[in-house]
Amino acid sequence: MRICKIEGCGKKYYSIGYCRVHYCRMYKTGSTEILGIISPEKRFFSKILKHKSGCHIFIGSRSKDGYGNLRIGDKIIKTHRYAWFLKHGKWPSDNIKVCHKCDNPPCCNPDHLFLGTDKDNVRDSIKKGRFKRAFGEGHGMAIFSEQDILYIRKVLKEGKKSGGQLAREYGVWPSLISKIRNRLLWKHV
C-alpha cells in the first residue's frame, strides 16, 4: 500500500504523492503546511479583482443570481453586504438592502453601493430601464402559449366549444377560460 509522502503522516495515498488531507490542503493553499485560520476579511480581499470599470469583482463562490457568497462562521454572507459592513462598521438592518449603483451583482466596491428598501431597488431598476416583468409565454408559470389564447378566443367566439369544454381540454378551471375570453388575462394578445 502506498502512503502519503509527508514525513510522519502514514495515511493512505490519494493523489500526487499525498493523502487526501494533504492533497486538499495543497490544492487549496499551494502548501501542505497548516497556514492557520485566515480571517474573513483577508479571505474576502484575496478574492477581489479590481476592474477598469471601477467595480471590485468578487471571484469566489457565487449564488445563482451572480452575487458573491462568503462563509463567516456558520453563515453565508452576501459579499456586497460584507463590503458595506467593512466600510461603515455596521450591518444594515434586515429590511434594508445593499443595492448596486453599477447593477453588477458580484461588485463589492463600497462606492458603488447604497442602502435602500425593496421598493427603492425596484424604482432604481425601472429608472435605469432594466426592470423586466415577465408576462405571457415569458412567465415561468405560463400554462398557455399565445397560439392557445388565439385558439381559445376564436373557438369561444364561433361557439364551437364552451368554456367548460376548453377548461377540461387544457386541464384548468373554467374561470380561467372566462378571464381569457373577457381579456382580464392575456390582454396583450
Side-chain angles (χ1 to χ4, degrees):
M1 177 174 93
R2 293 171 61 183
I3 61 170
C4 181
K5 66 183 180 184
I6 300 295
E7 190 177 323
C9 177
K11 290 182 182 173
K12 183 180 163 190
Y13 170 87
Y14 176 73
S15 184
I16 63 169
Y18 300 112
C19 65
R20 187 174 180 87
V21 170
H22 288 114
Y23 170 79
C24 290
R25 196 175 291 151
M26 175 62 89
Y27 179 78
K28 287 180 180 177
T29 67
S31 169
T32 58
E33 304 284 320
I34 296 177
L35 300 175
I37 297 173
I38 301 169
S39 73
E41 193 171 343
K42 281 186 180 178
R43 278 189 298 119
F44 172 75
F45 284 113
S46 74
K47 296 176 184 190
I48 293 292
L49 181 69
K50 293 186 179 179
H51 191 266
K52 62 184 175 186
S53 66
C55 288
H56 297 178
I57 307 298
F58 185 77
I59 58 172
S61 171
R62 292 192 194 167
S63 63
K64 288 185 290 188
D65 47 3
Y67 293 93
N69 289 326
L70 184 69
R71 179 178 292 280
I72 301 178
D74 61 346
K75 287 186 171 186
I76 304 285
I77 306 293
K78 296 288 183 207
T79 53
H80 62 293
R81 289 182 71 83
Y82 189 62
W84 180 270
F85 167 76
L86 290 175
K87 178 159 187 182
H88 299 281
K90 60 183 179 177
W91 292 98
S93 62
D94 289 340
N95 62 335
I96 298 296
K97 305 292 180 202
V98 177
C99 309
H100 288 87
K101 295 175 189 173
C102 60
D103 298 330
N104 189 0
C107 179
C108 296
N109 183 345
D111 296 333
H112 291 190
L113 304 173
F114 67 96
L115 294 181
T117 62
D118 279 327
K119 200 174 200 177
D120 297 331
N121 204 19
V122 170
R123 280 187 186 138
D124 181 56
S125 68
I126 291 169
K127 186 174 83 175
K128 293 174 181 173
R130 62 174 180 76
F131 184 78
K132 294 179 180 84
R133 186 171 181 180
F135 62 93
E137 288 182 54
H139 193 281
M141 295 183 67
I143 297 169
F144 302 107
S145 67
E146 290 186 6
Q147 267 187 314
D148 292 332
I149 300 303
L150 293 172
Y151 169 76
I152 289 168
R153 288 189 181 138
K154 180 182 177 197
V155 168
L156 288 170
K157 187 175 184 180
E158 294 171 356
K160 291 182 180 174
K161 291 185 182 179
S162 70
Q165 289 171 318
L166 287 168
R168 282 188 292 283
E169 187 179 317
Y170 284 98
V172 297
W173 290 99
S175 61
L176 184 57
I177 300 296
S178 174
K179 289 177 181 176
I180 291 169
R181 174 196 301 140
N182 297 323
R183 296 186 180 275
L184 296 173
L185 296 175
W186 291 82
K187 298 174 191 176
H188 66 285
V189 178

